[in-house]
Structure formats: structure tokens, C-alpha cells
Amino acid sequence: MIRSIPLRGFDQQMASLVLDNMKTHGTKVLHKCVPRQVEKQSSGKLMVTWAHQFERLTTTAAEDFDYYDTVLFAIGRQPCTRSLNLEKVGVEINEKSGFIIGARDESERTSAPNIFAIGDVLMDRPELTPVAIRAGKMLAQRLYNRSTEHMDYVNVATTVFTPLEYGCVGLSEEAAVQKHGEDNIEVFHAFYKPLEYIIPSRPHEQCYIKMVCTRGEEKVLGLHFVGPNAGEVIQGFSVALKCGATRHQFSTTVGIHPTCAEEVIKMHVSKRSGLDPTVTGC
């Protein structure tokens, strides 16, 4: 059951591919629905009633129900900041969400110059444990070891460990368009078939790679990979993005054959060209 969109904050084309793959394996997805109630039946089953979101505020909202063995709520988290009385020491928080607002010149510094915040509690920052660990270490180095290096919150690699993994680093296509303008970005992409899918004849229609670049220089802004072992693939390529790599540097790198990762450096078809991005052979 999805209230709004799948994988909010991620590239939505990639999120749709992940969802499509789950559907092909039998997952039934309810779009734009919100749960109303869960009632345990005498049989031990759970009857879940939901309403379609576009009607949820009306008194005559259309409702549906079904019976399940188990119900899992993935409702996210809220920062526990309101009980800390942060306003008493001058720390500004977002009134709606409760997240702490970091300073523009130094993200971990709050509106109180001698108070810092790290991790998920900061507004508009990746809610990932490795991010909090890295940001904390870098803050300690600045405070006590005269470092001037700041955390890079943009080129953070992460992976969604769905049955068909989705790994990414950098900007989504939507974020790149919003930041640079559609005419100033070039998107290269490829549908590919993993070698390990060939013998068992596994479906590969959702195995897809996308590289978001600037036009002209073709500096890589974001890399997105849906396929087996996506986390392993993206972790390596994330170093290249940290170094400001261009697509030319990717394409002049010799690939390891036969791997899924080599399809990243072989990409040459842009969305703008309108050509078929399906990989046809070695």
C-alpha cells in the first residue's frame, strides 16, 4: 500500500522499475491508498480497511478491505526535538517537521553558533547511518584538529535492497533538471541483461542503468543502477563522482568482462537521441 509515490526522494523512473519488478514476482501494490483500520478476526486473520487517498478527506470516501496474515507498517520516523526546549538556547527547528535547520556555511552548525547537530535530525540531509558517522568524524576534525573539510551531502551512495537492488549516487534526473535546467543536462541510459540471468532465463526487463550528466563537459551528476549487486557496483563508482569524473573518463576505462558493472562504462545512448538503449551484445 503506497500513500503517494514509491521511494520518495529517489529517481522516480528507477523507483518505477523496482516496483514493476516486484509486481512481476507477485507483489500486489495498492497505489494512493491510506489504511483506515486493522481488525483481528476470530480466525486469526487481520482485516485491513483502506481508503483511496484522493477521497480520504470526504465523509463518503470509497473503502476497500482484504484479509492478511501479517501487517507491517513502514511509517518512517520523526525527530524527538520538541521536548528538548531547543528554542531556549536559540536552536532553530522546522515548525512542521521538527528537524533542526543547519547553517548554510556549515551544515552541522545550528542557529546557535556553539551547538552542532549531526545525522538524521538535520533537515534535508540523507537519513543514513554512514552519513551520520562520517559527518560526526569530520566535525570532530574541524573542531579539534584544525581541519577545514566539510561533509559532502550530495554525492552519497546508497542502495535500496529490494529483490532487484537499486543503487544510486548523486542527483536524480528530476533533481538535475530542477538544479541545472532540462536543456543543460544529458542523460545516458541502457537496458542490459546480466550474465547470471541468461542460463536460468530470468526476466531482465527492469535491469537498467542511467547516467545524468551536464551537457558539453558531460560531468557526471548522478549514476543510477537497477540490477543484481547494485550496492557493490555503486560503491565503487561513487568514488569517481567524488573526484568529479566525466562521462569521457568513464567511457575510456577498460571494463571487466563479463560483469554488470562494465555496462556502466559502455553506455553511449542518450535519451535525447531517441535511439534504442537496449544492449545487444559484447
Side-chain angles (χ1 to χ4, degrees), residues 35-51:
R36 280 287 178 85
Q37 62 182 8
V38 180
E39 296 178 289
K40 191 168 186 177
Q41 306 298 295
S42 58
S43 62
K45 292 273 189 178
L46 299 172
M47 187 180 82
V48 179
T49 304
W50 64 87

Side-chain angles (χ1 to χ4, degrees), residues 23 70 73 80 119 122 164 179 203 263 275 279:
K23 290 178 180 177
T70 304
F73 282 93
C80 299
L122 279 170
L164 186 66
K179 183 175 182 179
E263 302 300 342
L275 298 175
V279 176

Side-chain angles (χ1 to χ4, degrees), residues 193 202 234 256:
K193 189 172 185 177
R202 294 181 60 185
I234 288 296
I256 301 173

Side-chain angles (χ1 to χ4, degrees), residues 15 34 55 66 75 160 205 211 215 220 241 269 279:
V34 289
E55 297 175 335
D66 207 341
I75 58 175
V160 181
E205 289 75 15
M211 181 183 288
R215 290 190 79 180
V220 182
L241 266 71
V269 176
V279 176

Side-chain angles (χ1 to χ4, degrees), residues 155-231:
N155 293 315
V156 175
T158 188
T159 297
V160 181
F161 292 100
T162 37
L164 186 66
E165 293 184 13
Y166 164 34
C168 61
V169 59
L171 297 179
S172 65
E173 184 175 350
E174 296 91 342
V177 168
Q178 184 178 18
K179 183 175 182 179
H180 298 277
E182 188 171 2
D183 292 335
N184 297 316
I185 68 166
E186 196 77 68
V187 179
F188 296 88
H189 62 153
F191 283 98
Y192 68 100
K193 189 172 185 177
L195 179 66
E196 59 261 45
Y197 283 22
I198 295 176
I199 294 178
S201 298
R202 294 181 60 185
H204 62 280
E205 289 75 15
Q206 290 85 30
C207 293
Y208 179 74
I209 311 169
K210 176 162 65 174
M211 181 183 288
V212 184
C213 308
T214 59
R215 290 190 79 180
E217 182 189 8
E218 292 188 349
K219 178 182 177 181
V220 182
L221 302 173
L223 182 62
H224 304 265
F225 182 100
V226 170
N229 308 306

Side-chain angles (χ1 to χ4, degrees), residues 31-159:
H31 290 274
K32 295 188 180 299
C33 294
V34 289
R36 280 287 178 85
Q37 62 182 8
V38 180
E39 296 178 289
K40 191 168 186 177
Q41 306 298 295
S42 58
S43 62
K45 292 273 189 178
L46 299 172
M47 187 180 82
V48 179
T49 304
W50 64 87
H52 296 282
Q53 189 187 22
F54 62 89
E55 297 175 335
R56 64 178 177 173
L57 297 179
T58 69
T59 55
T60 58
E63 293 186 346
D64 288 301
F65 67 92
D66 207 341
Y67 298 93
Y68 302 93
D69 296 319
T70 304
V71 174
L72 174 66
F73 282 93
I75 58 175
R77 295 167 292 172
Q78 291 183 332
C80 299
T81 54
R82 302 188 191 281
S83 62
L84 298 178
N85 294 322
L86 295 176
E87 67 280 0
K88 300 294 184 182
V89 291
V91 174
E92 184 181 2
I93 66 172
N94 182 285
E95 288 297 327
K96 183 178 180 179
S97 66
F99 284 102
I100 293 175
I101 300 173
R104 291 185 179 181
D105 61 331
E106 186 176 11
S107 294
E108 295 80 30
R109 188 187 298 274
T110 69
S111 51
N114 62 330
I115 298 177
F116 299 82
I118 59 172
D120 298 3
V121 76
L122 279 170
M123 190 169 74
D124 297 329
R125 294 291 177 260
E127 297 180 21
L128 300 166
T129 300
V131 171
I133 293 172
R134 174 58 56 189
K137 288 181 177 179
M138 296 179 77
L139 174 61
Q141 289 295 317
R142 292 200 303 276
L143 292 176
Y144 303 110
N145 202 28
R146 300 182 180 180
S147 172
T148 59
E149 191 173 6
H150 290 260
M151 177 67 189
D152 175 8
Y153 286 104
V154 176
N155 293 315
V156 175
T158 188
T159 297

Side-chain angles (χ1 to χ4, degrees), residues 193 195 254-263 265-266 279 281-282:
K193 189 172 185 177
L195 179 66
V254 177
I256 301 173
H257 186 73
T259 64
C260 293
E262 76 168 325
E263 302 300 342
I265 60 177
K266 288 168 56 181
V279 176
C282 296

